Amino acid sequence: MNLRDRPRRLRTDGVRPLVSETRLDATDLIAPVFVDATTDERVPIETMPGHERVPVDEAVARVEEIRETGVEAVMLFGIPNAKDEYGSRAWAEDGVVQEATRRVKAETDTYVITDVCLCEYTSHGHCGLVEPEAEENPRLTVQNDETLDLLAKTAVSHADAGADMVAPSAMTDGMVRAIREGLDESGFSDVPIMSYAAKYESAFYGPFRDAADGAPAFGDRRHYQMDPANAREAMREVKLDVEEGADVLMVKPALPYLDIVRDVREAFDHPVAAYNVSGEYAMLHAAADKGWLNLEETAVESLLSIKRAGADLILTYFAEDVAESL
């Protein structure tokens, strides 16, 4: 055979890494940290092997463990010591995320991002104030405009505690504008917003709700999170967040929505983030426990696919393990 083009020439060990098109680095990764105000010791999360809820007193130690792997950024999630229908512990000065942020920023040089939502803090588990009779009427859901002020107050309280970036995830219309205005008016115009700009109502969130104790007490989130069938709608959502002042654009989940990651990357010049969510993490662990997959290899390949699709940043529960292997 007289083949001029032989792609295998560039697959030998010496040249293969030189022509690799996609690079994964520890600095691409953000590690989630769950801080629990209701416990004095670390509590393993059964549906997310290798992860724990940590008490506030352990927040710095947990972040330092992450930093040792080369990961430089964390996302803080909080489990409060009390809940009410408004989620008022979300913006409390002595709230769990606020206190953890102060300690982590005082004792480390970690880049701290905070999740801005109310689902972990409300007694009903929804991401904002619910409409009257929502528990009895499945057509009712979160009150959009009334929730915006609470999200803005929460974001400002995080910035006041020292958060480097805030990440609103409630999928309420206008949340980026409300938070941007709140931050600017409070003197935090330099704090960027990483918006969960395209967040789908996904079945892949299950283990996270165990981790953050944020499952809805009734109903679901289909009235404010996106329909998994929709792609064009995602672009509309992202465009609105850009116009409202989002600095980084998040797609959640990652693996089932790589087409959305690619679409956002091609349409916008902003940094693009993708959330490799708890279900994506748990299913690889479950298959590896059965001996069906190699956990380390599939984890790295999964994150490479997210990076290849166009994500600049990846929020992932594999952050530590993958960073150590790179």
Side-chain angles (χ1 to χ4, degrees):
M1 297 180 70
N2 184 21
L3 298 178
R4 185 177 66 177
D5 292 328
R6 290 182 179 268
R8 287 183 57 183
R9 293 186 188 118
L10 298 182
R11 294 177 189 157
T12 58
D13 289 342
V15 72
R16 186 182 178 99
L18 294 177
V19 298
S20 180
E21 299 174 15
T22 305
R23 305 278 181 176
L24 190 64
D25 190 84
T27 57
D28 299 327
L29 309 177
I30 303 167
V33 175
F34 297 96
V35 186
D36 188 343
T38 70
T39 183
D40 295 324
E41 57 185 12
R42 297 192 182 199
V43 180
I45 302 168
E46 292 185 5
T47 52
M48 295 170 60
H51 284 272
E52 305 166 313
R53 295 185 186 182
V54 300
V56 174
D57 288 343
E58 289 278 331
V60 172
R62 178 72 188 102
V63 169
E64 288 176 336
E65 293 167 4
I66 292 168
R67 289 300 307 274
E68 288 176 0
T69 69
V71 175
E72 298 180 356
V74 299
M75 173 89 81
L76 298 184
F77 296 89
I79 297 91
N81 55 12
K83 302 187 180 191
D84 58 37
E85 62 180 309
Y86 307 104
S88 59
R89 294 300 298 170
W91 60 85
E93 182 179 355
D94 62 346
V96 58
V97 167
Q98 290 82 350
E99 183 59 30
T101 298
R102 278 191 286 268
R103 296 189 185 197
V104 171
K105 292 304 299 181
E107 299 186 39
T108 78
D109 60 354
T110 305
Y111 194 83
V112 174
I113 308 167
T114 57
D115 178 68
V116 177
C117 197
L118 302 181
C119 58
E120 297 105 316
Y121 302 89
T122 54
S123 53
H124 46 73
H126 281 282
C127 300
L129 299 176
V130 293
E131 296 172 344
E133 302 178 1
E135 186 170 355
E136 292 79 25
N137 188 343
R139 293 176 297 178
L140 299 179
T141 183
V142 165
Q143 299 181 76
N144 192 92
D145 294 7
E146 292 82 352
T147 296
L148 298 180
D149 287 343
L150 306 186
L151 294 174
K153 287 172 63 176
T154 301
V156 169
S157 74
H158 290 180
D160 191 53
D164 297 293
M165 177 184 286
V166 295
S169 60
M171 285 301 287
T172 45
D173 296 342
M175 68 180 184
V176 173
R177 174 175 285 123
I179 290 171
R180 184 72 274 158
E181 291 176 353
L183 290 171
D184 292 352
E185 291 169 2
S186 301
F188 299 112
S189 59
D190 57 338
V191 173
I193 297 173
M194 177 165 65
S195 175
Y196 289 61
K199 181 179 179 182
Y200 285 85
E201 191 214 3
S202 173
F204 284 92
Y205 299 151
F208 175 88
R209 291 170 183 173
D210 294 335
D213 191 24
F218 54 84
D220 53 40
R221 294 173 175 156
R222 71 186 187 278
H223 292 162
Y224 46 101
Q225 294 179 358
M226 287 181 55
D227 183 346
N230 292 359
R232 295 191 303 273
E233 182 187 5
M235 303 307 289
R236 180 186 179 199
E237 283 277 9
V238 173
K239 183 174 182 290
L240 287 170
D241 282 6
V242 168
E243 292 171 350
E244 291 177 13
D247 300 284
V248 181
L249 308 171
M250 173 89 84
V251 176
K252 181 181 180 182
L255 293 177
Y257 300 92
L258 293 180
D259 59 323
I260 308 302
V261 174
R262 170 57 64 185
D263 288 347
V264 174
R265 170 73 289 143
E266 291 180 347
F268 299 95
D269 291 333
H270 289 54
V272 176
Y275 198 151
N276 181 221
V277 300
S278 58
E280 299 169 52
Y281 175 85
M283 68 183 182
L284 292 188
H285 267 275
D289 287 345
K290 291 282 190 180
W292 296 343
L293 295 174
N294 179 291
L295 182 61
E296 181 179 320
E297 291 177 358
T298 51
V300 171
E301 187 175 339
S302 295
L303 299 190
L304 272 173
S305 75
I306 298 168
K307 186 85 182 289
R308 191 182 65 244
D312 302 290
L313 310 170
I314 304 173
L315 180 59
T316 177
Y317 302 98
F318 284 117
E320 291 171 272
D321 293 337
V322 168
E324 286 184 322
S325 72
L326 294 175

